[in-house]
Amino acid sequence: MSKRQESELAAHGFFWEEGLHFPLTKKENSSLVAAALEEDDTRHDITTAATVVSNRRARCRLVSRQSGVISGLPLACEAFEQLDPAVTMRVEHPDGARVAPQTPVMFLSGHARGLLSAERVALNFVQRLSGIATMTARYVDAIAGTGAHILDTRKTTPLLRRLEKYAVRCGGGLNHRMDLSSSVLIKDNHLATEYGDIALSVKRARELAPAGMKVEVECEKLDQVRAALDAGVDVIMFDNMQLLELREAVKLVQGRAVTEASGGVTIDTVRLIAETGVNWISIGALTHSAPALNLGLDFD
């Protein structure tokens, strides 16, 4: 991404990463994983206690059963470490790496009971986040060369937003606003309370929002796009527009605002949407419908 594109994204209240940075602090990571281990009652793993000698040691590897993009390894490492502080781990393919089927992602050695009891929690985190990263990468690859960017939405699992948006970045996507305070996005239901008056809604938003905060308006029809332009908005979201209407909307804007397509985007249609000239394509499915990546723990 060019420095100019980075500046544009930052100026409009959107988030990108120059490289990847895990979003949780060590304390946050530890607390989240501890809660997940407690939920699974890993301290009372009856099956493992009954079948594995207490001092047995084991070696295993985390393997990707299918091609995809890895995300969430710090959570998995924390899970194994909490149940066996002496565990040794070697990561071969870190978060953001693309892997082929049957690729060993990391190797572990430690107490067998700890490895077995932490297995499901570790896999749940990594499979979920890697699934998001993998789906994102598919969309990013599909629009390569068009100049458009793939963005996520706020359709995330409650309390896991930072992690799921991090997974989007692992897959090469960008983050839309992180929360309701990050930027102004006036949607159809906001307009409904003001009788569809875009100008009034934008005026009130600029009066209340912090200085410099950008304002975006969701538009379903071309007359709304014209009204948004007249109101001087910074970003215009074209909601569920067909391709012909999208092209007309982009032509109408003529670079006077950042343009975003949203609604009904699929892997089969995303490139056609990108080729209309929109700047951004936001896809809720990245975080609410991504299938888990098939990973497993194989013991020697």
Side-chain angles (χ1 to χ4, degrees):
M1 184 185 303
S2 69
K3 292 298 182 183
R4 178 185 62 79
Q5 289 171 321
E6 289 179 0
S7 297
E8 288 175 353
L9 287 166
H12 287 90
F14 293 81
F15 188 83
W16 80 99
E17 280 286 350
E18 185 67 35
L20 285 170
H21 303 281
F22 190 67
L24 304 186
T25 65
K26 174 63 176 175
K27 182 177 180 180
E28 289 172 331
N29 191 30
S30 178
S31 296
L32 176 62
V33 171
L37 292 171
E38 182 178 357
E39 177 187 52
D40 209 26
D41 205 0
T42 53
R43 303 290 181 179
H44 301 94
D45 180 355
I46 298 173
T47 307
T48 297
T51 59
V52 179
V53 177
S54 62
N55 63 352
R56 180 79 68 194
R57 294 189 62 81
R59 293 186 302 176
C60 59
R61 57 201 174 278
L62 179 64
V63 178
S64 178
R65 313 287 193 212
Q66 62 186 114
S67 60
V69 180
I70 301 301
S71 182
L73 288 182
L75 294 153
C77 291
E78 179 68 23
F80 290 118
E81 193 169 36
Q82 284 197 21
L83 293 194
D84 178 11
V87 67
T88 60
M89 297 172 284
R90 186 177 85 249
V91 174
E92 292 290 307
H93 296 281
D95 283 5
R98 297 193 178 208
V99 296
Q102 304 309 314
T103 299
V105 175
M106 65 182 295
F107 294 88
L108 304 98
S109 178
H111 287 103
R113 285 187 173 183
L115 293 172
L116 288 165
S117 295
E119 175 183 2
R120 177 43 52 199
V121 168
L123 287 176
N124 283 350
F125 278 125
V126 180
Q127 287 180 314
R128 168 66 179 158
L129 297 183
S130 296
I132 292 172
T134 299
M135 177 179 278
T136 302
R138 289 185 64 205
Y139 278 95
V140 170
D141 290 348
I143 66 166
T146 64
H149 296 288
I150 298 297
L151 278 69
D152 55 23
T153 71
R154 287 170 38 249
K155 296 176 182 178
T156 55
T157 306
L159 302 180
L160 296 183
R161 177 171 297 168
R162 282 187 293 164
L163 289 170
E164 292 179 346
K165 282 180 170 283
Y166 164 74
V168 167
R169 300 198 300 277
C170 287
L174 303 175
N175 296 149
H176 209 289
R177 58 179 180 164
M178 189 64 68
D179 52 45
L180 292 171
S181 68
S182 299
S183 64
V184 174
L185 174 48
I186 301 171
K187 299 174 74 77
D188 55 350
N189 284 340
H190 298 108
L191 292 173
T193 66
E194 293 297 339
Y195 309 102
D197 193 330
I198 289 176
L200 178 60
S201 295
V202 172
K203 178 177 181 294
R204 289 180 173 176
R206 293 205 184 280
E207 291 173 347
L208 180 64
M213 180 173 283
K214 304 303 178 179
V215 175
E216 178 173 5
V217 172
E218 178 186 81
C219 298
E220 298 176 347
K221 301 177 181 179
L222 291 178
D223 60 346
Q224 291 179 316
V225 175
R226 295 186 183 93
L229 287 170
D230 290 342
V233 301
D234 303 289
V235 186
I236 300 178
M237 177 190 292
F238 307 136
D239 182 48
N240 282 294
M241 288 189 180
Q242 299 301 308
L243 289 174
L244 179 60
E245 196 171 19
L246 267 177
R247 293 190 189 95
E248 293 178 5
V250 170
K251 185 177 180 180
L252 180 62
V253 173
Q254 291 185 326
R256 288 177 286 172
V258 174
T259 56
E260 175 185 348
S262 184
V265 181
T266 70
I267 195 65
D268 296 320
T269 63
V270 68
R271 187 167 186 91
L272 293 173
I273 292 170
E275 289 174 346
T276 66
V278 294
N279 302 116
W280 300 334
I281 304 173
S282 56
I283 305 170
L286 298 181
T287 51
H288 71 60
S289 296
L293 186 66
N294 188 0
L295 297 122
L297 205 62
D298 292 345
F299 282 74
D300 292 345

